[in-house]
Amino acid sequence: MNAPIKVLVVDDDALVRAGLSMILAGAGDIEIIGEASDGDQVPSMVAEHRPDVVLMDIRMPRVDGLVATERLRATAGPPEVVVLTTFHADAQVLRALRAGAAGFLLKDIHPADLVAAVRRVAAGEPILSPAVTRQLISHVSDGGAGGRRDRARAQLDRLSGREREVAIAVGEGRSNAQIGGELYMSVPTVKAHVSRILTKLGLNNRVQIALIVHDAEAAGRAS
């Protein structure tokens, strides 16, 4: 049997923690290794229990989910982070994604969708669609958009032509198999390109590649 997916639940609302834990623990292949009520408890609990996935509330009183995510994703071999929010378009959610979160979930998510999302993230798949990415970028007011566009274009310019094609396809939400079919590559070759893009640009995951692509396209991307 495969090892269970180890999950840490972080939320300052005890009822929310209990509900999330009960739903996930009932899935059979997911183990709740702990619950934290604030972001300042995350580092020690991650070090002790080594979860695969952390469900991270955004708003907490001492250390919020954004800071906790940034700190966690800056460590070696961090778990995947999924942020929890009550809003579709939220500046803190977008910042958490830029810091390396694999996606976000609304707190009113259906239980079956919650379980499926955790399984996907544990398997290394992002849970953020390109449409949601565009919604976040377009609806969240941020005066630094122009600077990010220029930085994103500069980052894409560091890639080879083939890597740039793969990055754009990732930004469009294509799977490795779809990218391979469109660009006439094997899936292992696509994976190798994605790994090189992540290394070249100092990124954590495919969500960050997608964000860079969308930032670069903010005012029309030069071909």
Side-chain angles (χ1 to χ4, degrees):
M1 292 181 62
N2 293 329
I5 301 167
K6 296 187 292 183
V7 176
L8 172 64
V9 178
V10 186
D11 197 295
D12 63 340
D13 187 321
L15 287 176
V16 172
R17 291 198 308 274
L20 292 171
S21 296
M22 181 179 64
I23 292 168
L24 293 172
D29 59 343
I30 297 174
E31 176 188 357
I32 303 301
I33 55 85
E35 297 179 7
S37 60
D38 204 281
D40 60 0
Q41 301 169 0
V42 171
S44 61
M45 295 192 73
V46 168
E48 179 180 358
H49 299 291
R50 307 305 302 173
D52 301 301
V53 178
V54 176
L55 293 182
M56 185 84 75
D57 186 22
I58 284 288
R59 290 167 179 82
M60 292 179 286
R62 295 189 298 275
V63 175
D64 65 31
L66 172 61
V67 172
T69 297
E70 290 173 337
R71 292 174 178 173
L72 189 56
R73 292 301 298 177
T75 62
E80 298 293 348
V81 176
V82 178
V83 294
L84 298 168
T85 181
T86 54
F87 301 100
H88 285 274
D90 185 289
Q92 288 186 302
V93 170
L94 187 54
R95 286 178 61 191
L97 296 173
R98 294 189 191 284
F104 77 91
L105 298 174
L106 298 179
K107 289 189 178 181
D108 62 357
I109 187 173
H110 189 279
D113 293 334
L114 172 65
V115 171
V118 168
R119 288 172 176 159
R120 285 184 60 189
V121 170
E125 302 175 21
I127 56 169
L128 193 67
S129 71
V132 173
T133 303
R134 293 189 188 96
Q135 178 190 12
L136 280 169
I137 291 174
S138 63
H139 285 83
V140 173
S141 176
D142 189 337
R148 279 203 316 275
R149 183 188 64 241
D150 293 340
R151 287 193 297 273
R153 289 181 173 182
Q155 285 177 296
L156 291 181
D157 286 344
R158 294 171 54 193
L159 304 177
S160 70
R162 205 58 162 161
E163 289 166 352
R164 186 185 177 101
E165 289 178 330
V166 171
I168 291 171
V170 169
E172 292 171 346
R174 304 287 194 272
S175 67
N176 287 339
Q178 290 171 326
I179 295 171
E182 292 175 3
L183 300 180
Y184 304 102
M185 301 180 190
S186 67
V187 169
T189 300
V190 175
K191 290 181 178 179
H193 279 302
V194 171
S195 294
R196 282 197 292 272
I197 293 166
L198 294 173
T199 299
K200 273 189 178 183
L201 303 185
L203 305 177
N204 287 297
N205 56 38
R206 294 168 73 102
V207 171
Q208 289 182 317
I209 296 175
L211 287 169
I212 285 175
V213 169
H214 292 310
D215 282 344
E217 293 175 338
R221 178 177 49 80
S223 59

PDB file of all heavy atoms in Angstrom, residues 94-115:
ATOM      1  N   LEU A  94      -2.866  36.102  -3.822  1.00  0.00           N
ATOM      2  CA  LEU A  94      -1.962  36.246  -4.956  1.00  0.00           C
ATOM      3  C   LEU A  94      -0.515  36.281  -4.490  1.00  0.00           C
ATOM      4  O   LEU A  94       0.368  35.665  -5.089  1.00  0.00           O
ATOM      5  CB  LEU A  94      -2.305  37.510  -5.745  1.00  0.00           C
ATOM      6  CG  LEU A  94      -1.556  37.723  -7.063  1.00  0.00           C
ATOM      7  CD1 LEU A  94      -1.685  36.525  -7.980  1.00  0.00           C
ATOM      8  CD2 LEU A  94      -2.069  38.976  -7.754  1.00  0.00           C
ATOM      9  N   ARG A  95      -0.250  36.985  -3.391  1.00  0.00           N
ATOM     10  CA  ARG A  95       1.118  37.044  -2.863  1.00  0.00           C
ATOM     11  C   ARG A  95       1.578  35.671  -2.377  1.00  0.00           C
ATOM     12  O   ARG A  95       2.748  35.299  -2.539  1.00  0.00           O
ATOM     13  CB  ARG A  95       1.194  38.061  -1.724  1.00  0.00           C
ATOM     14  CG  ARG A  95       1.152  39.510  -2.206  1.00  0.00           C
ATOM     15  CD  ARG A  95       1.171  40.473  -1.038  1.00  0.00           C
ATOM     16  NE  ARG A  95       2.383  40.336  -0.238  1.00  0.00           N
ATOM     17  CZ  ARG A  95       2.549  40.917   0.945  1.00  0.00           C
ATOM     18  NH1 ARG A  95       1.575  41.643   1.473  1.00  0.00           N
ATOM     19  NH2 ARG A  95       3.683  40.752   1.604  1.00  0.00           N
ATOM     20  N   ALA A  96       0.670  34.902  -1.787  1.00  0.00           N
ATOM     21  CA  ALA A  96       1.029  33.558  -1.342  1.00  0.00           C
ATOM     22  C   ALA A  96       1.375  32.662  -2.528  1.00  0.00           C
ATOM     23  O   ALA A  96       2.312  31.858  -2.468  1.00  0.00           O
ATOM     24  CB  ALA A  96      -0.119  32.947  -0.531  1.00  0.00           C
ATOM     25  N   LEU A  97       0.640  32.813  -3.618  1.00  0.00           N
ATOM     26  CA  LEU A  97       0.944  32.043  -4.820  1.00  0.00           C
ATOM     27  C   LEU A  97       2.302  32.438  -5.384  1.00  0.00           C
ATOM     28  O   LEU A  97       3.079  31.593  -5.832  1.00  0.00           O
ATOM     29  CB  LEU A  97      -0.151  32.240  -5.874  1.00  0.00           C
ATOM     30  CG  LEU A  97      -1.545  31.731  -5.488  1.00  0.00           C
ATOM     31  CD1 LEU A  97      -2.561  32.137  -6.546  1.00  0.00           C
ATOM     32  CD2 LEU A  97      -1.536  30.222  -5.297  1.00  0.00           C
ATOM     33  N   ARG A  98       2.602  33.734  -5.358  1.00  0.00           N
ATOM     34  CA  ARG A  98       3.918  34.188  -5.830  1.00  0.00           C
ATOM     35  C   ARG A  98       5.034  33.645  -4.937  1.00  0.00           C
ATOM     36  O   ARG A  98       6.158  33.442  -5.384  1.00  0.00           O
ATOM     37  CB  ARG A  98       3.964  35.718  -5.867  1.00  0.00           C
ATOM     38  CG  ARG A  98       3.025  36.342  -6.881  1.00  0.00           C
ATOM     39  CD  ARG A  98       3.280  37.839  -7.028  1.00  0.00           C
ATOM     40  NE  ARG A  98       2.226  38.488  -7.785  1.00  0.00           N
ATOM     41  CZ  ARG A  98       2.096  38.419  -9.112  1.00  0.00           C
ATOM     42  NH1 ARG A  98       2.969  37.717  -9.811  1.00  0.00           N
ATOM     43  NH2 ARG A  98       1.110  39.044  -9.728  1.00  0.00           N
ATOM     44  N   ALA A  99       4.707  33.406  -3.658  1.00  0.00           N
ATOM     45  CA  ALA A  99       5.706  32.878  -2.722  1.00  0.00           C
ATOM     46  C   ALA A  99       5.922  31.382  -2.887  1.00  0.00           C
ATOM     47  O   ALA A  99       6.864  30.835  -2.315  1.00  0.00           O
ATOM     48  CB  ALA A  99       5.286  33.179  -1.287  1.00  0.00           C
ATOM     49  N   GLY A 100       5.047  30.725  -3.656  1.00  0.00           N
ATOM     50  CA  GLY A 100       5.252  29.307  -3.918  1.00  0.00           C
ATOM     51  C   GLY A 100       4.135  28.390  -3.508  1.00  0.00           C
ATOM     52  O   GLY A 100       4.275  27.166  -3.590  1.00  0.00           O
ATOM     53  N   ALA A 101       2.990  28.922  -3.050  1.00  0.00           N
ATOM     54  CA  ALA A 101       1.848  28.064  -2.749  1.00  0.00           C
ATOM     55  C   ALA A 101       1.370  27.379  -4.027  1.00  0.00           C
ATOM     56  O   ALA A 101       1.438  27.948  -5.116  1.00  0.00           O
ATOM     57  CB  ALA A 101       0.715  28.881  -2.127  1.00  0.00           C
ATOM     58  N   ALA A 102       0.893  26.153  -3.879  1.00  0.00           N
ATOM     59  CA  ALA A 102       0.484  25.369  -5.042  1.00  0.00           C
ATOM     60  C   ALA A 102      -0.924  25.712  -5.519  1.00  0.00           C
ATOM     61  O   ALA A 102      -1.358  25.231  -6.564  1.00  0.00           O
ATOM     62  CB  ALA A 102       0.558  23.876  -4.717  1.00  0.00           C
ATOM     63  N   GLY A 103      -1.630  26.535  -4.762  1.00  0.00           N
ATOM     64  CA  GLY A 103      -2.976  26.909  -5.142  1.00  0.00           C
ATOM     65  C   GLY A 103      -3.739  27.402  -3.935  1.00  0.00           C
ATOM     66  O   GLY A 103      -3.171  27.572  -2.856  1.00  0.00           O
ATOM     67  N   PHE A 104      -5.028  27.662  -4.116  1.00  0.00           N
ATOM     68  CA  PHE A 104      -5.842  28.062  -2.980  1.00  0.00           C
ATOM     69  C   PHE A 104      -7.206  27.404  -3.064  1.00  0.00           C
ATOM     70  O   PHE A 104      -7.659  26.992  -4.135  1.00  0.00           O
ATOM     71  CB  PHE A 104      -5.973  29.581  -2.895  1.00  0.00           C
ATOM     72  CG  PHE A 104      -6.941  30.191  -3.876  1.00  0.00           C
ATOM     73  CD1 PHE A 104      -8.273  30.369  -3.530  1.00  0.00           C
ATOM     74  CD2 PHE A 104      -6.520  30.608  -5.123  1.00  0.00           C
ATOM     75  CE1 PHE A 104      -9.174  30.935  -4.423  1.00  0.00           C
ATOM     76  CE2 PHE A 104      -7.408  31.180  -6.024  1.00  0.00           C
ATOM     77  CZ  PHE A 104      -8.743  31.339  -5.672  1.00  0.00           C
ATOM     78  N   LEU A 105      -7.833  27.278  -1.898  1.00  0.00           N
ATOM     79  CA  LEU A 105      -9.167  26.702  -1.799  1.00  0.00           C
ATOM     80  C   LEU A 105     -10.063  27.658  -1.018  1.00  0.00           C
ATOM     81  O   LEU A 105      -9.617  28.286  -0.057  1.00  0.00           O
ATOM     82  CB  LEU A 105      -9.119  25.351  -1.066  1.00  0.00           C
ATOM     83  CG  LEU A 105      -8.292  24.240  -1.711  1.00  0.00           C
ATOM     84  CD1 LEU A 105      -8.242  23.035  -0.769  1.00  0.00           C
ATOM     85  CD2 LEU A 105      -8.878  23.835  -3.060  1.00  0.00           C
ATOM     86  N   LEU A 106     -11.305  27.761  -1.440  1.00  0.00           N
ATOM     87  CA  LEU A 106     -12.288  28.517  -0.673  1.00  0.00           C
ATOM     88  C   LEU A 106     -12.776  27.647   0.488  1.00  0.00           C
ATOM     89  O   LEU A 106     -12.901  26.430   0.356  1.00  0.00           O
ATOM     90  CB  LEU A 106     -13.465  28.919  -1.555  1.00  0.00           C
ATOM     91  CG  LEU A 106     -13.128  29.846  -2.732  1.00  0.00           C
ATOM     92  CD1 LEU A 106     -14.385  30.139  -3.534  1.00  0.00           C
ATOM     93  CD2 LEU A 106     -12.490  31.138  -2.251  1.00  0.00           C
ATOM     94  N   LYS A 107     -13.043  28.283   1.610  1.00  0.00           N
ATOM     95  CA  LYS A 107     -13.415  27.521   2.806  1.00  0.00           C
ATOM     96  C   LYS A 107     -14.766  26.819   2.682  1.00  0.00           C
ATOM     97  O   LYS A 107     -15.061  25.913   3.460  1.00  0.00           O
ATOM     98  CB  LYS A 107     -13.386  28.434   4.034  1.00  0.00           C
ATOM     99  CG  LYS A 107     -11.977  28.832   4.439  1.00  0.00           C
ATOM    100  CD  LYS A 107     -11.963  29.549   5.781  1.00  0.00           C
ATOM    101  CE  LYS A 107     -10.556  29.884   6.197  1.00  0.00           C
ATOM    102  NZ  LYS A 107     -10.497  30.565   7.514  1.00  0.00           N
ATOM    103  N   ASP A 108     -15.582  27.240   1.723  1.00  0.00           N
ATOM    104  CA  ASP A 108     -16.860  26.562   1.540  1.00  0.00           C
ATOM    105  C   ASP A 108     -16.784  25.461   0.479  1.00  0.00           C
ATOM    106  O   ASP A 108     -17.792  25.021  -0.061  1.00  0.00           O
ATOM    107  CB  ASP A 108     -17.956  27.563   1.178  1.00  0.00           C
ATOM    108  CG  ASP A 108     -17.678  28.299  -0.142  1.00  0.00           C
ATOM    109  OD1 ASP A 108     -16.605  28.068  -0.752  1.00  0.00           O
ATOM    110  OD2 ASP A 108     -18.531  29.106  -0.557  1.00  0.00           O
ATOM    111  N   ILE A 109     -15.578  24.983   0.183  1.00  0.00           N
ATOM    112  CA  ILE A 109     -15.388  23.952  -0.813  1.00  0.00           C
ATOM    113  C   ILE A 109     -16.147  22.680  -0.435  1.00  0.00           C
ATOM    114  O   ILE A 109     -16.285  22.349   0.744  1.00  0.00           O
ATOM    115  CB  ILE A 109     -13.874  23.648  -0.993  1.00  0.00           C
ATOM    116  CG1 ILE A 109     -13.634  22.683  -2.162  1.00  0.00           C
ATOM    117  CG2 ILE A 109     -13.282  23.090   0.296  1.00  0.00           C
ATOM    118  CD1 ILE A 109     -12.173  22.491  -2.484  1.00  0.00           C
ATOM    119  N   HIS A 110     -16.645  21.963  -1.454  1.00  0.00           N
ATOM    120  CA  HIS A 110     -17.326  20.699  -1.220  1.00  0.00           C
ATOM    121  C   HIS A 110     -16.315  19.688  -0.669  1.00  0.00           C
ATOM    122  O   HIS A 110     -15.163  19.641  -1.124  1.00  0.00           O
ATOM    123  CB  HIS A 110     -17.931  20.188  -2.529  1.00  0.00           C
ATOM    124  CG  HIS A 110     -18.831  19.004  -2.363  1.00  0.00           C
ATOM    125  ND1 HIS A 110     -18.353  17.717  -2.241  1.00  0.00           N
ATOM    126  CD2 HIS A 110     -20.184  18.912  -2.292  1.00  0.00           C
ATOM    127  CE1 HIS A 110     -19.359  16.880  -2.112  1.00  0.00           C
ATOM    128  NE2 HIS A 110     -20.485  17.587  -2.136  1.00  0.00           N
ATOM    129  N   PRO A 111     -16.707  18.864   0.299  1.00  0.00           N
ATOM    130  CA  PRO A 111     -15.765  17.904   0.888  1.00  0.00           C
ATOM    131  C   PRO A 111     -15.036  17.025  -0.134  1.00  0.00           C
ATOM    132  O   PRO A 111     -13.831  16.797  -0.013  1.00  0.00           O
ATOM    133  CB  PRO A 111     -16.655  17.061   1.801  1.00  0.00           C
ATOM    134  CG  PRO A 111     -17.723  18.012   2.239  1.00  0.00           C
ATOM    135  CD  PRO A 111     -17.993  18.867   1.023  1.00  0.00           C
ATOM    136  N   ALA A 112     -15.749  16.533  -1.136  1.00  0.00           N
ATOM    137  CA  ALA A 112     -15.108  15.675  -2.139  1.00  0.00           C
ATOM    138  C   ALA A 112     -14.057  16.447  -2.934  1.00  0.00           C
ATOM    139  O   ALA A 112     -13.002  15.900  -3.286  1.00  0.00           O
ATOM    140  CB  ALA A 112     -16.161  15.096  -3.086  1.00  0.00           C
ATOM    141  N   ASP A 113     -14.330  17.721  -3.200  1.00  0.00           N
ATOM    142  CA  ASP A 113     -13.366  18.548  -3.932  1.00  0.00           C
ATOM    143  C   ASP A 113     -12.138  18.841  -3.074  1.00  0.00           C
ATOM    144  O   ASP A 113     -11.020  18.939  -3.586  1.00  0.00           O
ATOM    145  CB  ASP A 113     -14.018  19.858  -4.376  1.00  0.00           C
ATOM    146  CG  ASP A 113     -15.105  19.644  -5.418  1.00  0.00           C
ATOM    147  OD1 ASP A 113     -15.042  18.628  -6.146  1.00  0.00           O
ATOM    148  OD2 ASP A 113     -16.021  20.481  -5.508  1.00  0.00           O
ATOM    149  N   LEU A 114     -12.338  18.995  -1.763  1.00  0.00           N
ATOM    150  CA  LEU A 114     -11.218  19.210  -0.851  1.00  0.00           C
ATOM    151  C   LEU A 114     -10.281  18.006  -0.878  1.00  0.00           C
ATOM    152  O   LEU A 114      -9.055  18.148  -1.005  1.00  0.00           O
ATOM    153  CB  LEU A 114     -11.735  19.444   0.567  1.00  0.00           C
ATOM    154  CG  LEU A 114     -10.674  19.485   1.675  1.00  0.00           C
ATOM    155  CD1 LEU A 114      -9.747  20.675   1.485  1.00  0.00           C
ATOM    156  CD2 LEU A 114     -11.344  19.540   3.037  1.00  0.00           C
ATOM    157  N   VAL A 115     -10.845  16.826  -0.763  1.00  0.00           N
ATOM    158  CA  VAL A 115     -10.030  15.599  -0.785  1.00  0.00           C
ATOM    159  C   VAL A 115      -9.290  15.466  -2.109  1.00  0.00           C
ATOM    160  O   VAL A 115      -8.086  15.169  -2.148  1.00  0.00           O
ATOM    161  CB  VAL A 115     -10.918  14.364  -0.530  1.00  0.00           C
ATOM    162  CG1 VAL A 115     -10.127  13.078  -0.766  1.00  0.00           C
ATOM    163  CG2 VAL A 115     -11.476  14.390   0.893  1.00  0.00           C
TER     164      VAL A 115
END
